[in-house]
Amino acid sequence: FRTLADLPAGIRMAVEMGLVSSAQLWRFFTLDCKPTIVRTVARVTPPGFSRAFVGRLMADPFILYKMAMEQVLTIGGSVAYEMRMRGDNFKNEWGQVVANTTTLCAANAAMVWSLAPTRSFGNAHKYAWQRALHSLPNHVFDQSGPLREYTQVSRVAGFLWKGAELSAIGIIAGTAQNIMTNTLVNIRRKKEPDYVPSLPVPAAAQSAAGLGAWLGISCNARYQALSGLDRWLSVPGERTFWGSLGLVLGSTAVMRYFNQRVGEPMRLSWQGLPSVPFKREKKYQKKPVRKTRVVIVEPEEVAEDTLFTMSAKDLRRQRSRPSRSVPSRNGPQRRRQPAYQ
């Protein structure tokens, strides 16, 4: 951009009104000076989304890093939970795993995008209530700027409005998750009528209401506080000791990890999902037990002439021969060796 007239309409208006600082304008120039994906997205997408995208990058240059971090944590937590619950059936039920993980990633991305601070200007609104909602901060710890002073009333109103907005996002995501999972289960049951999923599918109302309440109440409060901590970490000054960029990014990564660990059990409870895998009984093939019974056989009477005709060698061989088991009704018994006199 060589002149002021070459800037995008929203940024040019903000510069003319003195609403954008030199540091924010420098952030925009550093992103737009090279042919990167960020510049392509800002130029190709519709004007409304492009204005919101550039405004969030100007307010927080690490917004893409935070969104990527949240996606990695969401995918890792969802896949780990699915593996723990499904066990050996994880590979056979990979479609349900993809459906659940995709909806959670979409809901998480919409939540992070909604609560991110923005410096977008030039939005035209037809109604007064649209202008009133646009004047509210995205989170209660957002910094005030020229012609945009946030009071305590506006911050409380912004907190309540974001709760309602996130609840609507959660209801849509929970409904989509339930529809996709039930569709996959029904397709599987057409091939296998006795098929039962390893992870039970909750009712549609409980899935939608649970995810909506989780995003609107739990996530809204936790991520609002997390946004305040991010702002405090990124403020330079003598009173803060966060002078290193790597230390700031590492600290926010650790906080986001523990934030998801705290909120995940609540989501499972509100959506009606189990937190402990079911005990599956292994089917063993029982070997048939063969009952053998041994009968005591009394020594048979041997003729006298046979005794006199048997040699000493034959007699020793007869005595060393092992006894055989004979089935009987009275239980296992041992056989006596006939004694010869």
Side-chain angles (χ1 to χ4, degrees), residues 88-100:
D88 298 336
N89 298 326
F90 179 80
K91 295 182 179 179
N92 299 328
E93 298 175 348
W94 64 270
Q96 302 176 35
V97 176
V98 172
N100 295 335

Side-chain angles (χ1 to χ4, degrees), residues 231-249:
R231 181 191 168 187
W232 178 73
L233 292 176
S234 59
V235 172
E238 298 179 356
R239 293 178 298 176
T240 59
F241 56 93
W242 309 98
S244 174
L245 179 60
L247 185 59
V248 173
L249 297 180

Side-chain angles (χ1 to χ4, degrees), residues 9-312:
I11 299 179
R12 184 177 69 250
M13 184 182 301
V15 172
E16 291 176 351
M17 298 175 62
L19 303 179
V20 177
S21 63
S22 58
Q24 294 173 347
L25 192 61
W26 176 255
R27 292 173 188 171
F28 172 74
F29 286 149
T30 55
L31 293 174
D32 199 80
C33 65
K34 298 180 181 180
T36 59
I37 299 177
V38 176
R39 189 179 73 171
T40 303
V41 171
R43 292 185 178 184
V44 174
T45 53
F49 180 82
S50 177
R51 188 181 296 112
F53 181 69
V54 174
R56 281 168 170 77
L57 287 176
M58 294 176 64
D60 185 5
F62 305 114
I63 179 62
L64 297 179
Y65 170 78
K66 295 175 182 178
M67 291 188 69
M69 189 190 313
E70 287 286 341
Q71 292 296 300
V72 170
L73 293 175
T74 303
I75 293 174
S78 177
V79 173
Y81 171 75
E82 297 283 347
M83 292 181 64
R84 186 175 71 253
M85 298 302 299
R86 299 184 188 276
D88 298 336
N89 298 326
F90 179 80
K91 295 182 179 179
N92 299 328
E93 298 175 348
W94 64 270
Q96 302 176 35
V97 176
V98 172
N100 295 335
T101 306
T102 302
T103 51
L104 289 178
C105 289
N108 180 269
M111 176 188 59
V112 176
W113 176 269
S114 177
L115 296 178
T118 181
R119 296 295 179 266
S120 61
F121 304 95
N123 296 326
H125 301 288
K126 183 178 180 180
Y127 302 100
W129 62 270
Q130 292 179 337
R131 292 191 294 271
L133 293 179
H134 180 71
S135 62
L136 297 177
N138 285 351
H139 61 85
V140 294
F141 301 100
D142 198 359
Q143 186 179 4
S144 300
L147 301 180
R148 185 175 285 185
E149 293 292 336
Y150 298 132
T151 61
Q152 294 183 357
V153 177
S154 63
R155 294 181 187 276
V156 173
F159 179 83
L160 297 178
W161 166 245
K162 288 301 177 181
E165 183 179 351
L166 294 179
S167 297
I169 294 173
I171 291 173
I172 295 174
T175 304
Q177 181 182 21
N178 188 268
I179 291 175
M180 288 190 296
T181 306
N182 282 325
T183 302
L184 294 173
V185 171
N186 293 331
I187 293 174
R188 182 75 177 274
R189 283 177 178 172
K190 290 182 179 179
K191 300 179 181 179
E192 303 175 12
D194 299 334
Y195 169 71
V196 178
S198 303
L199 183 63
V201 181
Q206 186 175 7
S207 178
L211 192 58
W214 180 68
L215 283 177
I217 299 175
S218 176
C219 290
N220 185 32
R222 289 185 289 108
Y223 278 88
Q224 293 266 3
L226 191 60
S227 299
L229 291 175
D230 285 340
R231 181 191 168 187
W232 178 73
L233 292 176
S234 59
V235 172
E238 298 179 356
R239 293 178 298 176
T240 59
F241 56 93
W242 309 98
S244 174
L245 179 60
L247 185 59
V248 173
L249 297 180
S251 301
T252 186
V254 172
M255 290 189 300
R256 291 179 184 277
Y257 170 76
F258 285 104
N259 178 44
Q260 289 207 7
R261 290 296 301 270
V262 171
E264 185 66 14
M266 190 177 298
R267 180 187 71 84
L268 299 177
S269 177
W270 289 8
Q271 277 197 292
L273 295 173
S275 57
V276 180
F278 295 103
K279 294 183 179 179
R280 302 179 181 88
E281 297 181 357
K282 296 183 179 181
K283 297 182 180 180
Y284 296 98
Q285 185 178 2
K286 295 183 178 180
K287 297 182 179 180
V289 180
R290 185 177 179 181
K291 298 181 180 181
T292 57
R293 288 171 288 186
V294 181
V295 186
I296 299 177
V297 180
E298 297 295 336
E300 301 177 356
E301 295 181 358
V302 184
E304 294 181 0
D305 55 352
T306 306
L307 293 176
F308 290 109
T309 56
M310 184 180 295
S311 63

Side-chain angles (χ1 to χ4, degrees), residues 306-321:
T306 306
L307 293 176
F308 290 109
T309 56
M310 184 180 295
S311 63
K313 183 177 181 181
D314 295 336
L315 183 60
R316 287 194 301 270
R317 184 182 301 171
Q318 184 70 16
R319 289 181 177 179
S320 62
R321 184 179 301 172

